[in-house]
């Protein structure tokens, strides 16, 4: 009798864990890519606040360490394509003429002005119809500052919008003697993001690092393996051994168009067979290469091929599409 009772308790536990895992993944999710970056400079607190008001399921944080080991929310290890670092610190570039986040203290980084993304060599704004380059008063900020903002807004607005942090260039940080992953995991833990039941998805392009997060560092968070090239998804079984989902570039999902109808690769169906969620990137209303319109892009990827979620610079448009 006792063994039967323990067996039933075990089944209930498995069922509860499955329900917990699916609780915030049971619908198609919208991830605010670098915030509401289609409207305000990416990864600024202003962009994150605007995104929060648009009701996505998650808001993304790309993370790079400062010289004094503060996780900075910025898309890349470089500073010179989104800030005025070349003007404020003209002699602090490396041999490749790039300016690196890791070479500046947090206090120094806070002195920089953040602007709309531009080409560092030409100064030309990447997305010309977006917020004017060089205008406004935007600053860099830490992971802690962003978590305080999102959790504060969740409380004041009565929402439960999650976070979707990315460990950026872990190999680069290791070579620089930095433990980016360990520092980020501790901060997430301290803010209450500990297991799959918490509203946090941790992502990384480096499969070995993501596997290490699961096996060596014993993280119980929902993990997503980002992919960009076909070689990245050749062994989905390996990815499924440590990750809960994949984040492919949307062109990895598309095959070709026949009579104005898209044909797809097997990536989404193969991932689903292994129990992996598929969150594809990036939906841009001003750059939908391969599609005749942004609406066609949303319909094709979110509905026709049935991905589980999307990263977007325009969270309001994707939220509205899914609500319809």
């Amino acid at each position: 009798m006792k063994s039967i009772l323990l067996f039933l308790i075990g089944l209930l536990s498995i069922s509860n864990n499955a329900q917990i895992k699916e609780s915030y993944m049971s619908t198609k999710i919208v991830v605010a890519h670098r915030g509401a970056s289609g409207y305000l400079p990416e990864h600024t607190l202003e962009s994150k606040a605007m995104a929060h008001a648009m009701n996505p399921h998650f808001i993304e944080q790309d993370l790079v360490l400062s010289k004094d080991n503060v996780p900075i929310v910025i898309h890349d290890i470089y500073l010179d394509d989104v800030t005025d670092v070349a003007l404020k610190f003209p002699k602090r570039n490396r041999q490749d003429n790039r300016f690196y986040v890791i070479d500046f203290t947090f206090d120094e980084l806070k002195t920089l002005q953040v602007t709309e993304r531009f080409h560092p060599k030409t100064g030309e704004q990447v997305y010309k119809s977006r917020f004017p380059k060089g205008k406004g008063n935007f600053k860099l900020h830490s992971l802690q500052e962003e978590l305080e903002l999102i959790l504060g807004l969740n409380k004041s607005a009565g929402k439960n919008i999650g976070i979707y942090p990315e460990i950026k260039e872990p190999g680069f940080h290791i070579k620089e003697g930095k433990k980016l992953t360990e520092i980020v995991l501790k901060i997430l833990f301290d803010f209450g993001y500990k297991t799959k039941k918490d509203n946090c998805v941790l992502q990384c392009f480096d499969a070995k690092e993501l596997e290490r997060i699961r096996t060596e560092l014993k993280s119980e968070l929902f993990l997503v393996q980002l992919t960009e090239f076909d070689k990245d998804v050749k062994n989905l079984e390996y990815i499924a051994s440590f990750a809960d989902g994949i984040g492919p570039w949307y062109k990895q999902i598309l095959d070709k168009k026949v009579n104005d109808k898209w044909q797809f690769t097997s990536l989404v169906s193969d991932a689903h067979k292994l129990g992996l969620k598929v969150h594809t990137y990036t939906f841009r209303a001003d750059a939908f290469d391969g599609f005749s319109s942004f609406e066609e892009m949303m319909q094709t990827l979110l509905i026709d091929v049935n991905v589980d979620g999307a990263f977007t610079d325009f969270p309001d448009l994707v939220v509205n599409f899914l609500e319809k």
Side-chain angles (χ1 to χ4, degrees), residues 255-279:
D255 185 6
K256 58 187 176 182
K257 240 182 179 180
V258 179
N259 297 325
D260 287 330
K261 188 175 178 63
W262 277 105
Q263 307 294 307
F264 307 113
T265 69
S266 65
L267 179 57
V268 175
S269 59
D270 290 345
H272 284 165
K273 287 174 186 175
L274 291 168
L276 293 167
K277 295 292 186 181
V278 181
H279 301 158

Side-chain angles (χ1 to χ4, degrees), residues 72-87:
I72 306 300
V73 182
I74 188 171
H75 174 63
D76 214 334
I77 57 176
Y78 308 112
L79 288 163
D80 46 331
D81 47 11
V82 289
T83 76
D84 61 348
V85 64
L87 295 175

